[in-house]
Amino acid sequence: MGEVYENIPGCQFIPGYPDCIYFDTEENEWSTKGCVRKEVFGKSVTCVCDHLTSFGIMMDFNNEVKADDPVLKLLSIICGASSILAILVTEMLLYFGRDKDDDEVDMKRSAEKNLNFCMIIAQLGFVIFVGRNDILPCAVCESFGAATHFAFVACYAWIVIDCSQVYYKFYNKRAPQTNLLYLSIASYGLAFAIAGGVLITSLTNESYFYLRRSVEGHVDSCWLNDWAEYAIIIPIGVALLLCLVRMVLTYVWVKKNSSDTTCEIIFDLLVSFRSTLVLTFVITLNIVFAFFADSQIFGYIIVLLNVFPGFFILLNSTVFNSEVTLV
């Protein structure tokens, strides 16, 4: 395997799964009978066989490699481009259709714009770059993985900020405009610190945290691997917890100061927090499926899920938003 992996040591980008084989003279074909691939590490393959013959190592002789699916590639481009286009259309409609003199609208819009920007970067990275491990050098592949990681963490940060704006609205308060600068520094700074820290550690220690591997050691994508997965799992958990706390506090306040029934209050909360609930659910589901992306089925699910956020943002921010005038 030295010649196969010589050009990119440690990365194992070659789309093949080595197997221990021998030529069965009775069946007149290559066979793995009596042989087991025990370990694949770097350029070495360890085989265990229970019989004697002339052995060899063959790459993908039994067609285990995932086929290059042109339908999935085309669908990825169409879904990703459609979602990004929907977000861009949203921004255009919001720019021309909202009252720019309203301070509260400006604060809410700032959170929405940043969230939409991060969503575009995250989708571009996830659809176009994360799966290009077959042609990218190690450092470039990890850098694209880190950039996508950064965008997703920033998305969750701005979802929490957007959730807070709904919280302030129920309390009939306005978040101070001076907070926007600090919120931007905190959200992007936190995302940069997390993704940048993992990337620097990976590159300096050759840990390959952004080279996601299958159980055979083959690199499947430029995405978080091993314990580095917690660098996205923990921010997701914290974001969900903060939004949940906001919703619970809002419910308690409305329950105390309103004569509405519990069902009416819950319905109002679900409507008001729908953006937080839906986007958080879809993005989290997409990331969870990405951890199982070695399956072609999950590949299709991820691609189809990528089209949803853009169109949801378009409908939620314009069609179902009374503050926007489309005509």
Side-chain angles (χ1 to χ4, degrees):
M1 293 179 64
E3 183 177 345
V4 177
Y5 292 117
E6 188 66 34
N7 294 329
I8 13 184
C11 296
Q12 296 191 22
F13 288 119
I14 304 301
Y17 293 88
D19 260 322
C20 305
I21 54 93
Y22 73 100
F23 193 79
D24 190 330
T25 55
E26 294 182 359
E27 299 293 336
N28 199 35
E29 63 182 14
W30 294 103
S31 174
T32 60
K33 294 176 183 177
C35 291
V36 177
R37 181 184 62 237
K38 182 179 180 182
E39 182 183 29
V40 178
F41 184 78
K43 302 175 183 178
S44 302
V45 179
T46 302
C47 303
V48 177
C49 298
D50 62 7
H51 58 81
L52 296 175
T53 186
S54 296
F55 300 104
I57 297 173
M58 185 173 287
M59 300 296 292
D60 193 40
F61 84 98
N62 55 2
N63 199 33
E64 288 184 0
V65 174
K66 294 174 290 185
D68 184 12
D69 190 338
V71 176
L72 184 59
K73 280 191 173 183
L74 179 61
L75 193 61
S76 298
I77 296 173
I78 294 174
C79 290
S82 299
S83 181
I84 292 170
L85 179 62
I87 297 175
L88 293 175
V89 171
T90 301
E91 284 300 313
M92 182 182 68
L93 293 175
L94 291 178
Y95 180 81
F96 292 105
R98 298 188 77 162
D99 183 3
K100 302 177 182 61
D101 295 327
D102 189 334
D103 290 339
E104 184 178 359
V105 169
D106 284 347
M107 187 63 182
K108 186 90 165 67
R109 276 295 298 128
S110 296
E112 290 174 349
K113 283 191 294 186
N114 281 278
L115 173 58
N116 292 345
F117 169 75
C118 293
M119 183 64 67
I120 290 174
I121 299 302
Q123 289 198 312
L124 277 174
F126 218 65
V127 174
I128 299 177
F129 299 114
V130 168
R132 303 309 299 166
N133 54 284
D134 55 338
I135 61 173
L136 296 174
C138 292
V140 177
C141 183
E142 291 206 81
S143 298
F144 281 132
T148 307
H149 182 200
F150 163 83
F152 272 118
V153 174
C155 276
Y156 280 98
W158 284 106
I159 285 176
V160 173
I161 295 171
D162 187 61
C163 178
S164 298
Q165 300 308 307
V166 180
Y167 167 83
Y168 282 119
K169 184 176 181 180
F170 269 94
Y171 274 73
N172 294 317
K173 295 180 179 180
R174 291 190 178 187
Q177 288 295 302
T178 52
N179 280 354
L180 180 59
L181 175 61
Y182 301 113
L183 290 174
S184 299
I185 294 174
S187 58
Y188 288 117
L190 176 65
F192 183 80
I194 294 175
V198 175
L199 178 62
I200 292 174
T201 303
S202 179
L203 294 178
T204 54
N205 296 337
E206 295 186 352
S207 305
Y208 305 116
F209 290 140
Y210 284 108
L211 299 182
R212 185 162 186 80
R213 297 178 184 273
S214 65
V215 291
E216 291 88 357
H218 173 71
V219 174
D220 287 324
S221 60
C222 310
W223 187 238
L224 293 165
N225 191 31
D226 295 330
W227 70 267
E229 294 173 357
Y230 289 102
I232 188 69
I233 294 175
I234 293 176
I236 290 175
V238 172
L240 293 177
L241 180 61
L242 291 175
C243 286
L244 179 62
V245 170
R246 289 293 199 190
M247 293 181 67
V248 171
L249 291 176
T250 304
Y251 170 81
V252 172
W253 186 90
V254 175
K255 185 70 174 176
K256 182 179 179 181
N257 297 275
S258 172
S259 58
D260 293 342
T261 64
T262 300
C263 291
E264 290 174 334
I265 295 174
I266 292 177
F267 178 77
D268 289 340
L269 288 177
L270 291 176
V271 172
S272 299
F273 285 97
R274 64 180 180 272
S275 178
T276 297
L277 294 172
V278 175
L279 283 178
T280 302
F281 174 76
V282 173
I283 299 173
T284 302
L285 193 63
N286 208 340
I287 292 175
V288 169
F289 281 139
F291 292 145
F292 306 96
D294 56 334
S295 167
Q296 196 170 41
I297 294 177
F298 285 115
Y300 274 94
I301 293 175
I302 291 171
V303 168
L304 293 175
L305 282 176
N306 263 293
V307 76
F308 183 83
F311 286 96
F312 173 77
I313 289 173
L314 175 60
L315 294 174
N316 183 67
S317 299
T318 57
V319 177
F320 300 118
N321 190 347
S322 59
E323 297 175 349
V324 178
T325 304
L326 297 179
V327 180

